[in-house]
Amino acid sequence: MAKVEKRRAVSDERLHGFLREMLLIRRFEEKVEERFRAGELPGFLHVAIGQEAVAVGVCAALEEGDVITSTHRGHGHMLARGADPRRMYAELYARRDGYNRAKGGSLHMIDTELGFLGANGIVGGGIPLATGAALQLKRSGAGRVAVSFFGDGATNEGAFHESLNLASLWKLPCLYVCENNLYGEFTRQDRHQPISDVALRSASYAMPGVIADGNDVLDVLRAAGEAAARARAGEGPTLIEAKTYRHRGHYEGDMGAYRPPDEVAEWMARDPILTFGARLVADQGVKQTDLDAAAEDVERTLDGAAEYADASPHPEPDEALEDVFRETVGGAALR
């Protein structure tokens, strides 16, 4: 099988790392769900359970200096880029030691030092941001790329089409990654788009459109690696459609009753973590005890992260206007 050969081209250490990263994202999200349901977290919550392979596969193709923009479902992207789960939990818990000192929360977390240019509560809002970043990266001549993650619903937005048009025209080093989980909020893709493959939309902008199995971390890595190589060589952007499925509803509290039970069961059987773990055992000779050890390590990491967040102080009310951009007119501050 061709896929077996591709897997062997990746070191055992990296393969094990991919599994651990996906486990980290999964358990991070599940623990956040628990705290949210207990009423301990403010704001809205959109978890990426089921979509871990997309974040890990794409970010595995990136280098230092590359940048990404995310979505309202962005915890996995940030973790895959190397974020500290302690500071992420602290931000979600609205504590001072969070990435944005409790001012970003789940929907607008950001860390520019990681090249993570932010989650975004606006559908498709990160697409033009990544396009602008790609323009700057091209001008710098450093061979870096920008990545924008978004869902299938975002490809109906004007920002998507305008961005892809300019990126192709100017041959910008940008990877447009559509995490197609088949639903735009509560609406099936076939109810809001006349096409089944989002990748077809690339033809309008004379750029490659690639479909990847979004539940197969190595297939995602293949697609992202090829697209990143094209971008670094000055050949322009690529639209990658990673077909995947979210195991939860659109937001925490949405029970997903609009999804057929047989559809849910089919995709649950294709769980990216379970299937990848099984492949490591079958193809790489990994022992189940090794998988269990990785899971235990993730639990220890996240338990420590939760303790760190719990110990972090709440911000004081007078901190609300710190870090807020202000202009002055005639010496008077405009807020």
Side-chain angles (χ1 to χ4, degrees), residues 44 46 69-74 104-109 117-126 129 149 157 185 250:
F44 286 98
H46 307 75
T69 65
S70 186
T71 70
H72 54 275
R73 202 179 309 281
S106 175
L107 291 174
H108 298 99
M109 210 177 301
L117 304 185
N120 204 306
I122 305 299
V123 173
L129 299 180
F149 290 98
E157 296 286 335
E185 292 190 346
H250 171 60

Side-chain angles (χ1 to χ4, degrees), residues 52-62 217-218 220-222 224-225:
E52 298 88 356
V54 184
V56 173
V58 170
C59 289
L62 302 184
V217 65
L218 295 181
V220 174
L221 172 59
R222 170 198 59 79

